[in-house]
Amino acid sequence: MHGDHTQAVRPFLIGSTWTTGQGQPFESINPATGGRNGLIGAASKADVDFAVRTAKAAQARPEWRQMLPHQRAAILHRIADLIEVNAEELADRQMRENGKLRRECVTQAAGGAAAYRYFAAICETMPSEIAPSRGDHLSMVLYEPYGVVAAITPWNSPLTLESQKVAAALAAGNAVVLKPSEFTPTIALRIAELALEAGLPPGIFNVVTGLGAETGTALVAHPDVRLISFTGGTATGKAIAREAAGRMAAVALELGGKSPHIVFADADLDKALEGVLHGVFSSTGQSCIAGTRLFVERSVYEGFVQKLATATNALRVGPPDDAQSQIAPLSSFIHRDKVETMVDMAREDGATVLAGGSRPGDARLANGAYFLPTILGNVSNSARICQQEVFGPVLCVLPFDNEADLVAQANDTLFGLAAGVWTQDFPKAWRVARAIEAGTVWINTYKTLSVSVPFGGFKESGSGREKGFFGIRTYQEPKTVMVGL
Ligand code: NAD
């Protein structure tokens, strides 16, 4: 599959209408080859306005608003069925757009379907509440949809990230206007098409493709958008929160990370080594929860880091559709260049390259956006490379002397998304897990994900939570109804 090589502009979806929009179409490029995937239509401010008004009207219609929860759930299950039937095609599509390993894309397609099933189950089982009465009245708490939810997503994992937003927002009774990343524009288009096929009323799930500066800003600024659910960089998240505050629109923000991954001397070091490699280099490091600051207890530091460097140099860098590949290209050439610049900056600051540090020499990979998995030593936690998110296959290694020193360094970051701890001393693991400021902490595992637990960040890694039972509440407003008796 090599994508669409024609000049035809790929349209986007408003209601049940496919339109190429009034914005300037943009190119989708395959980062593994540099080849074109095709031209994509861009939604102008007027197109975005039409999409939001279409969503608002559809959400207000009884057809959706009064649909019983088990009927809504049935549609979500049918969307999951269709994602499963089309999983291979969806995986290929994502691989062509962001260069992710094909097997990772297949797993993510299954994860997308699982999100629709999970929120379908919540949709038909979630209760309203009767609060304890403080007088001669009945006090009820109901959960209402916001109305129109804007979903804005990044390029690293659209199959899962977009599904977990859209499934929860729909289960809660909202209508959605989704703007996918300009680097991965067509996965959402395909899933919205499948949603129509599954029987979702037109206008309840709309997709507007385009750049952040035009389409994204227009969506965030639209007065009829009542909740903005954003996943992406911290700087973009702050800009969105500022804009939303002007009209008291709600925001749910899943932002960046610089997660500490901790190895105590008493850990099962072989398992820890596997966990550290997977934790930072899966998805070529383009993961918000990547364990990018490795803290190793000083007594085992030298040996552990040496083994890690050897294992890193042995990772097979190759095309995403080659089953032997372990490290795929970065998602775009512009992003590869950014990662390269940050590694050069770290070198200038005095870091020592212990593995990788450059593009691969392999001529077969010369046309793709590849960068070798990289380990940097001789860095302090306050160095720029330890404080700024790289979002690529770059690991910083740091020794620590004791638990107090470790916790202070691990928490010395603006971010608070995730952390990992390896030790066989459970009370110690527990103390550290409680002391680390992060939305998710893994003990003797890393990057284990589940739709059934809440996910989100402390500090500048975001606000609000997605997934888990409470994930649906992110897309609802509580309403109190009191009945005098
Ligand atoms: P980004 O912030 O550049 O873009 C994300 C989305 O926002 C894109 O669709 C983009 O077009 C849009 N956008 C950009 N500027 C906008 C604006 N002013 N108004 C409205 N929309 C705008 O992020 P990215 O480079 O696509 O993704 C990488 C970032 O995403 C990393 O920082 C990573 O940590 C983060 N991320 C976080 C999570 C999480 O769950 N916490 C998951 C994945 C990625």
Side-chain angles (χ1 to χ4, degrees), residues 244-263:
R247 62 173 195 281
M248 293 310 291
V251 288
L253 303 170
E254 301 286 352
L255 309 177
K258 195 78 197 178
S259 300
H261 203 162
I262 298 152
V263 178

Tab-separated table of all heavy atoms in Angstrom, residues 244-263:
chain	number	residue	atom	x	y	z
A	244	ALA	N	-9.628	29.284	26.170
A	244	ALA	CA	-10.864	28.719	26.716
A	244	ALA	C	-11.324	29.496	27.947
A	244	ALA	O	-12.530	29.674	28.168
A	244	ALA	CB	-10.664	27.248	27.070
A	245	ALA	N	-10.356	29.979	28.733
A	245	ALA	CA	-10.706	30.698	29.970
A	245	ALA	C	-11.534	31.932	29.666
A	245	ALA	O	-12.393	32.327	30.458
A	245	ALA	CB	-9.434	31.090	30.728
A	246	GLY	N	-11.309	32.539	28.501
A	246	GLY	CA	-12.012	33.768	28.121
A	246	GLY	C	-13.524	33.580	28.079
A	246	GLY	O	-14.269	34.543	28.268
A	247	ARG	N	-13.985	32.373	27.807
A	247	ARG	CA	-15.448	32.172	27.780
A	247	ARG	C	-15.858	31.036	28.720
A	247	ARG	O	-16.940	30.468	28.600
A	247	ARG	CB	-15.942	31.898	26.360
A	247	ARG	CG	-15.400	30.660	25.705
A	247	ARG	CD	-16.088	30.388	24.358
A	247	ARG	NE	-15.833	29.049	23.902
A	247	ARG	CZ	-14.716	28.631	23.318
A	247	ARG	NH1	-13.720	29.480	23.119
A	247	ARG	NH2	-14.570	27.378	22.940
A	248	MET	N	-14.952	30.692	29.663
A	248	MET	CA	-15.216	29.649	30.661
A	248	MET	C	-15.563	28.306	30.006
A	248	MET	O	-16.393	27.553	30.540
A	248	MET	CB	-16.337	30.066	31.631
A	248	MET	CG	-15.982	31.211	32.540
A	248	MET	SD	-14.411	31.020	33.397
A	248	MET	CE	-14.786	29.693	34.504
A	249	ALA	N	-14.966	28.024	28.871
A	249	ALA	CA	-15.128	26.683	28.289
A	249	ALA	C	-14.261	25.731	29.107
A	249	ALA	O	-13.188	26.112	29.601
A	249	ALA	CB	-14.708	26.682	26.834
A	250	ALA	N	-14.716	24.497	29.263
A	250	ALA	CA	-13.936	23.522	30.034
A	250	ALA	C	-12.786	22.979	29.171
A	250	ALA	O	-12.886	22.963	27.940
A	250	ALA	CB	-14.845	22.378	30.459
A	251	VAL	N	-11.704	22.576	29.828
A	251	VAL	CA	-10.590	21.963	29.099
A	251	VAL	C	-10.162	20.674	29.798
A	251	VAL	O	-10.200	20.570	31.022
A	251	VAL	CB	-9.348	22.896	28.994
A	251	VAL	CG1	-9.588	24.041	28.044
A	251	VAL	CG2	-8.906	23.398	30.353
A	252	ALA	N	-9.774	19.700	28.998
A	252	ALA	CA	-9.105	18.493	29.499
A	252	ALA	C	-7.807	18.422	28.719
A	252	ALA	O	-7.826	18.407	27.485
A	252	ALA	CB	-9.967	17.263	29.245
A	253	LEU	N	-6.682	18.430	29.432
A	253	LEU	CA	-5.387	18.574	28.758
A	253	LEU	C	-4.463	17.412	29.102
A	253	LEU	O	-4.161	17.174	30.273
A	253	LEU	CB	-4.725	19.893	29.197
A	253	LEU	CG	-5.546	21.171	28.959
A	253	LEU	CD1	-4.890	22.363	29.664
A	253	LEU	CD2	-5.680	21.457	27.468
A	254	GLU	N	-4.036	16.689	28.069
A	254	GLU	CA	-3.029	15.626	28.230
A	254	GLU	C	-1.777	16.129	27.532
A	254	GLU	O	-1.741	16.188	26.302
A	254	GLU	CB	-3.505	14.335	27.551
A	254	GLU	CG	-4.810	13.785	28.061
A	254	GLU	CD	-4.683	13.146	29.422
A	254	GLU	OE1	-3.554	12.987	29.926
A	254	GLU	OE2	-5.723	12.809	30.005
A	255	LEU	N	-0.735	16.466	28.303
A	255	LEU	CA	0.392	17.197	27.712
A	255	LEU	C	1.692	16.389	27.776
A	255	LEU	O	1.672	15.173	27.778
A	255	LEU	CB	0.501	18.565	28.383
A	255	LEU	CG	-0.825	19.359	28.415
A	255	LEU	CD1	-0.677	20.669	29.161
A	255	LEU	CD2	-1.357	19.602	27.006
A	256	GLY	N	2.789	17.084	27.816
A	256	GLY	CA	4.091	16.408	27.675
A	256	GLY	C	4.576	15.727	28.949
A	256	GLY	O	3.925	15.763	29.996
A	257	GLY	N	5.740	15.096	28.842
A	257	GLY	CA	6.321	14.411	29.994
A	257	GLY	C	7.834	14.322	29.900
A	257	GLY	O	8.420	14.568	28.840
A	258	LYS	N	8.446	14.030	31.034
A	258	LYS	CA	9.905	13.796	31.092
A	258	LYS	C	10.079	12.796	32.235
A	258	LYS	O	10.624	13.104	33.295
A	258	LYS	CB	10.619	15.127	31.371
A	258	LYS	CG	12.101	15.091	31.103
A	258	LYS	CD	12.424	15.187	29.627
A	258	LYS	CE	13.852	14.738	29.362
A	258	LYS	NZ	14.190	14.765	27.920
A	259	SER	N	9.545	11.605	32.022
A	259	SER	CA	9.286	10.709	33.145
A	259	SER	C	10.542	10.030	33.695
A	259	SER	O	11.374	9.539	32.924
A	259	SER	CB	8.266	9.657	32.718
A	259	SER	OG	7.067	10.313	32.346
A	260	PRO	N	10.671	9.990	35.038
A	260	PRO	CA	11.799	9.302	35.669
A	260	PRO	C	11.585	7.797	35.692
A	260	PRO	O	10.487	7.325	35.993
A	260	PRO	CB	11.798	9.871	37.095
A	260	PRO	CG	10.376	10.267	37.355
A	260	PRO	CD	9.797	10.665	36.023
A	261	HIS	N	12.621	7.071	35.353
A	261	HIS	CA	12.576	5.608	35.411
A	261	HIS	C	13.707	5.205	36.361
A	261	HIS	O	14.870	5.549	36.130
A	261	HIS	CB	12.782	5.043	33.993
A	261	HIS	CG	12.228	3.670	33.835
A	261	HIS	ND1	11.966	3.105	32.618
A	261	HIS	CD2	11.888	2.732	34.759
A	261	HIS	CE1	11.482	1.886	32.790
A	261	HIS	NE2	11.427	1.639	34.077
A	262	ILE	N	13.349	4.491	37.437
A	262	ILE	CA	14.262	4.338	38.581
A	262	ILE	C	14.647	2.880	38.771
A	262	ILE	O	13.774	2.010	38.819
A	262	ILE	CB	13.552	4.860	39.855
A	262	ILE	CG1	13.239	6.356	39.692
A	262	ILE	CG2	14.391	4.581	41.103
A	262	ILE	CD1	12.035	6.815	40.483
A	263	VAL	N	15.955	2.615	38.886
A	263	VAL	CA	16.406	1.242	39.119
A	263	VAL	C	17.232	1.209	40.411
A	263	VAL	O	18.309	1.823	40.486
A	263	VAL	CB	17.256	0.728	37.927
A	263	VAL	CG1	17.766	-0.675	38.205
A	263	VAL	CG2	16.436	0.755	36.639
